[in-house]
Amino acid sequence: MEVAYTIEELRQARRRICVAFAPEDERHPRVGFVPTMGNLHEGHMCLVKRMTDECEVSVVSIFVNPTQFAPGEDFDEYPRTPDADLMQCEDAGVDLVFFPEEDQLYLEDHSTEIVVHRLTERYCGAARPGHFAGVALVVAKLLNIVQPDIAYFGQKDYQQFRVIERMVRDLDFPVALSMCATVRESDGLAMSSRNAYLKGDDRKAAATIYQGLQVLAEAFAAGERDSAALKEAARAELAEPVRLEYLEIADAWSLEPKQSAARGDVVLVAAHVGETRLIDNIVLAAGEENAN
Ligand code: AMP
C-alpha cells in the first residue's frame, strides 16, 4: 500500500499503480474511491470492502475537512487515529491512501465555493450552515485529484449522498456513485466516530433513535401512511436525554417532506444526546424488512 501526502504524490502513485495493473494500457483498471475523515470503523470498512470487491485499484482518503465544520463545532476534538487507520487500510487491501495536510487542499487565498441549492436547505443543512458547501467543495476537489471511476458513500449520511449526487450530475463529474447501507452497533445505533463521545446512560439512550425508526417502519408496514402519526410513533420511543433536532419523512430524491408516506421515502432524523449530535435514517419498505 502506498501513502501519498501531497496532490502530486497522489497523482504519480495513481498513475504508477494503474500502469502496473495494465502495462500495455489496453485496459483501464477501475479505480474506486472512499473519502473519509479517518478514525475508521466498521462502517467505513464496509465501503472499503465493497470497493475492493468491485474495483481493480482502490483509494481511500483521510482528511478531517475544516470547511465542513462551523465555528464552535467539534473540529478540534474530532478523533484522529492515523496509525490505526493506515493499518486497517493495509489489511483491507487498499492500494493507495491520500493523507493530505490542510495546506495541501486549501491555499490561503482559496476563493471558490460550491453550493448545491434546495437539497441543502433543510435538515442538516438548516442546522449546520455552510456544512454542505464544505462537503461539496472537498468532495469535488478529491474527485478531481483522485479521478475515480466509482466513489463510495454511506447511507448513514443520506442527505450528504443526495447533495453529492446532485453536484456530480450538475457539474458532469465522470464518476459513478455507490451508496452502502448503514452499519450498526448490536443495539442498532449507527456506527459513527462521534459515538465515542457518548458515555454510560447517554450511550444507552442513543440506541432509542434507531428503535424509534424501527417502530415507525413497523407502523408503515402495518399500513399507516399518515406522516404525523408515523413520526409520533417514533418520537414515543425516544428515551431521556435524547433531544430531537428534526424527524421527517421525505421524498428520497428531492428530500421534500411528505404528508403521506410512500414506499421508498426516507425517514431522516437528527438528535442531540448531551453535547453529541447524531443522525440516522431508514428507507421505507412496505411489508418487508426496512431497507436499513
Ligand atoms: P466520515 O469519515 O464520517 O466522513 O465518513 C466517511 C464515509 O463513511 C461517508 O460516506 C459516510 O457516510 C460513511 N459512513 C460513516 N459511518 C457509516 C456507517 N455506520 N455505515 C455506513 N457508512 C458509514
Side-chain angles (χ1 to χ4, degrees):
M1 185 177 83
E2 297 198 43
V3 183
Y5 297 92
T6 67
I7 295 172
E8 194 47 41
E9 282 171 7
L10 185 283
R11 289 194 164 134
Q12 281 177 13
R14 183 198 185 283
R15 213 172 302 128
R16 214 171 27 245
I17 292 166
C18 286
V19 168
F21 180 83
E24 270 83 53
D25 226 8
E26 287 162 358
R27 270 192 313 144
H28 169 66
R30 232 173 335 208
V31 177
F33 179 42
V34 174
T36 79
M37 298 205 298
N39 191 233
L40 302 181
H41 52 64
E42 281 174 53
H44 298 113
M45 297 321 285
C46 193
L47 309 190
V48 170
K49 170 84 171 68
R50 173 95 79 87
M51 166 174 67
T52 56
D53 283 350
E54 293 180 355
C55 300
E56 286 83 23
V57 176
S58 54
V59 184
V60 169
S61 67
I62 299 174
F63 180 62
V64 184
N65 174 38
T67 65
Q68 71 190 68
F69 290 79
E73 288 189 347
D74 59 343
F75 175 72
D76 290 330
E77 300 87 63
Y78 197 85
R80 289 161 171 88
T81 50
D83 296 340
D85 292 349
L86 290 177
M87 258 158 61
Q88 286 196 73
C89 288
E90 175 112 58
D91 289 348
V94 170
D95 298 298
L96 177 56
V97 174
F98 185 39
F99 210 148
E101 294 283 346
E102 196 175 320
D103 60 5
Q104 263 302 302
L105 287 193
Y106 296 113
L107 301 179
E108 240 171 62
D109 61 348
H110 78 94
S111 317
T112 305
E113 272 189 340
I114 299 185
V115 179
V116 178
H117 292 286
R118 289 187 293 282
L119 282 176
T120 59
E121 280 162 15
R122 298 176 195 272
Y123 318 119
C124 290
R128 304 182 68 188
H131 170 66
F132 285 119
V135 169
L137 182 61
V138 80
V139 171
K141 286 168 69 66
L142 291 168
L143 291 176
N144 279 335
I145 293 165
V146 175
Q147 299 188 13
D149 298 289
I150 312 177
Y152 297 83
F153 296 88
Q155 182 185 331
K156 155 91 180 359
D157 299 277
Y158 192 92
Q159 187 178 14
Q160 168 176 286
F161 186 89
R162 292 292 175 227
V163 169
I164 292 168
E165 182 181 56
R166 187 66 57 90
M167 175 190 77
V168 159
R169 188 202 69 179
D170 288 351
L171 298 182
D172 307 298
F173 279 85
V175 65
L177 302 181
S178 187
M179 188 201 273
C180 303
T182 304
V183 179
R184 300 179 178 283
E185 302 288 354
S186 54
D187 62 0
L189 178 65
M191 285 194 182
S192 164
S193 302
R194 292 191 168 98
N195 292 353
Y197 303 151
L198 297 167
K199 302 285 177 245
D201 287 347
D202 283 0
R203 170 63 190 81
K204 268 195 219 143
T208 63
I209 298 169
Y210 182 59
Q211 285 158 23
L213 290 176
Q214 278 184 305
V215 166
L216 188 159
E218 280 158 21
F220 179 80
E224 180 64 75
R225 293 294 179 267
D226 178 54
S227 283
L230 289 165
K231 289 190 282 186
E232 192 41 50
R235 246 183 245 120
E237 286 301 303
L238 301 177
E240 284 286 320
V242 176
R243 191 166 45 82
L244 262 192
E245 180 185 297
Y246 63 76
L247 169 65
E248 198 53 86
I249 301 175
D251 176 78
W253 304 100
S254 69
L255 303 184
E256 288 297 316
K258 302 273 297 276
Q259 299 291 323
S260 177
R263 185 177 180 168
D265 287 348
V266 62
V267 187
L268 298 163
V269 61
H272 296 258
V273 186
E275 299 279 282
T276 308
R277 182 177 182 275
L278 301 170
I279 58 171
D280 203 347
N281 67 83
I282 54 165
V283 174
L284 292 174
E288 50 190 71
E289 208 185 315
N290 72 71
N292 212 321

